Amino acid sequence: MLRLFALFLPTVIPSWRFFKTVAPSPRIEYRLISGESKGRWQEDRPRPEHLGGWQILGRMLWNPDWNEQLYLVSCSERLIEAPSQHSIDEINLRVAKALPAGSGDLQFRLVFLSREGKQIVKLVEYESAPVSLASLKGASA
Amino acid sequence: MSVMDVFQQGLTAAQAMGWMQVLLSFAIAQQSLEHLARGDRMIFVPRLILCVVMGLGVGGAWPVWGLWGISLAMLWRYQGPYNGGSDKMTMLILSCLSLAHMAPTPFWQEMALSYLAVQLVLSYFVSGWVKLVNPEWRRGEALCDVFRFSAYPVSEGLRRLADQPRFLFVMGWAVILFELVFPLSLLDPVALKLALLCAAGFHFSNACFFGLNRFFWIWLCAYPALIWFQDRIFG
């Protein structure tokens, strides 16, 4: 009950501090592991190079993929600030859902981008334990 | 009736609540359909049904209270907001509307709507203030960083805007100044409507650049409360 109250309170007394600072920004990268063979790290749902005007307007009404991506950004930030199994499960399930079915394990890591002087630096802040892709696909079905 | 007449018109508390419920039924239905595309039928089928009921204007306060309960369940399901500030605003509007429906007297109904109106003003003013006190925003670097490496730009092509520091400096200051002076628009009904149009344009641009479509729709839902508030306090 106390937890629910803690989740509810910021919605009725919001801080409204949008973009107070531009904090290090998370990206989710994943790889597939099959036995001893570890695949290369790949960015989860890389954004397109270009979006046309009609696509942007269409997204005003229908934008489920991008909104899920924003939720995964929140889960990534929460995982660093206050680690929880919930955040790990949500990322695992949603990364797995976007992948074709297969055997082996799925592992993800969180890479944070930030600016140091004029350079953009990448820092790996978290690496998950590998989980069976088949079990994740089954759970997200 | 001329455009000026429309701009000078206020709303009664009942009209404001009615408009908010119609707008909310659309905004929450839009959110719910997006969720249904990803699964989670247990939460979002009932949510969608309640939106339709509320949009049709039947069931009195029950659909509002039902949607409030489902929003609470969503907070639990996602262990916080799914879509950041837009979920917070959804919950805030539903909480204030729920209280306004439960209010034993018109005074308490007005208190609930006033709270929402004040929070709406704060959503702009506080957001402008925290940028103003940050040197990176004042120098225009923060907006460059948003485009350069944040998770928000919807395409890689948009990141090239980070190479236009003068343009982003001007845009950054335009946002800061607009957010800071927004409360002054309460002094005049026409100024308020114009400020709300500008604010809607601001949310629209955020939706185009950063994919924040839900923010656009849900912030519009709270505007009737502010139009009522302006008329009630300054009218």
Side-chain angles (χ1 to χ4, degrees), chain B residues 41-212:
Chain B
R41 289 185 181 82
M42 285 281 283
I43 291 179
F44 294 103
V45 169
R47 197 175 187 233
L48 191 58
I49 293 170
L50 285 172
C51 285
V52 174
V53 172
M54 186 168 75
L56 292 173
V58 291
W62 285 102
V64 179
W65 293 334
L67 286 168
W68 183 85
I70 289 176
S71 292
L72 207 58
M74 282 172 63
L75 279 177
W76 186 256
R77 161 68 183 85
Y78 299 113
Q79 287 294 294
Y82 179 87
N83 205 241
S86 78
D87 277 14
K88 286 183 184 177
M89 184 54 106
T90 308
M91 189 60 168
L92 177 64
I93 297 173
L94 285 170
S95 298
C96 292
L97 266 179
S98 295
L99 287 174
H101 277 293
M102 280 197 283
T105 65
F107 172 79
W108 288 109
Q109 187 180 58
E110 291 192 347
M111 283 296 108
L113 290 181
S114 298
Y115 183 75
L116 176 59
V118 169
Q119 283 296 339
L120 181 62
V121 173
L122 287 175
S123 76
Y124 294 115
F125 181 76
V126 172
S127 190
W129 180 255
V130 296
K131 292 183 183 80
L132 183 71
V133 297
N134 181 341
E136 291 195 344
W137 270 102
R138 291 200 302 271
R139 290 196 297 264
E141 292 168 6
L143 197 52
C144 286
D145 284 346
V146 169
F147 281 99
R148 188 174 287 122
F149 68 81
S150 84
Y152 292 102
V154 293
S155 70
E156 289 299 331
L158 275 180
R159 294 203 183 280
R160 286 194 280 277
L161 275 176
D163 301 327
Q164 311 276 340
R166 279 189 203 161
F167 172 69
L168 293 182
F169 176 83
V170 172
M171 287 295 109
W173 269 103
V175 170
I176 292 170
L177 291 175
F178 171 72
E179 290 180 329
L180 286 174
V181 302
F182 182 85
L184 294 178
S185 69
L186 283 172
L187 297 173
D188 180 79
V190 177
L192 176 64
K193 308 299 189 315
L194 291 174
L196 290 177
L197 277 176
C198 289
F202 167 65
H203 292 298
F204 181 77
S205 67
N206 284 339
C208 293
F209 288 129
F210 306 133
L212 303 174

Side-chain angles (χ1 to χ4, degrees), chain A residues 53-97:
Chain A
W54 289 113
Q55 280 175 298
I56 288 175
L57 282 179
R59 285 179 172 209
M60 290 300 296
L61 290 170
W62 189 247
N63 205 11
D65 296 343
W66 183 256
N67 280 317
E68 184 174 62
Q69 208 160 329
L70 293 180
Y71 173 58
L72 288 175
V73 170
S74 298
C75 288
S76 304
E77 288 166 347
R78 288 180 206 164
L79 190 48
I80 299 305
E81 287 161 15
S84 74
Q85 192 59 42
H86 177 271
S87 298
I88 296 169
D89 292 343
E90 286 290 89
I91 295 172
N92 264 327
L93 283 171
R94 287 165 198 271
V95 171
K97 205 171 179 178

Side-chain angles (χ1 to χ4, degrees), chain A residues 19 21-29 43-44 47 66 69-70 72-78 80-81 109-116 119-126, chain B residues 142 144-154 156 159 210:
Chain A
F19 289 109
T21 55
V22 185
S25 176
R27 302 285 188 279
I28 296 172
E29 293 182 345
E43 188 176 347
D44 178 50
R47 69 207 67 217
W66 183 256
Q69 208 160 329
L70 293 180
L72 288 175
V73 170
S74 298
C75 288
S76 304
E77 288 166 347
R78 288 180 206 164
I80 299 305
E81 287 161 15
R109 68 179 186 182
L110 301 180
V111 178
F112 279 74
L113 303 187
S114 59
R115 182 171 57 82
E116 279 181 16
Q119 291 284 314
I120 301 299
V121 293
K122 283 175 78 170
L123 192 65
V124 178
E125 296 249 1
Y126 177 85
Chain B
C144 286
D145 284 346
V146 169
F147 281 99
R148 188 174 287 122
F149 68 81
S150 84
Y152 292 102
V154 293
E156 289 299 331
R159 294 203 183 280
F210 306 133

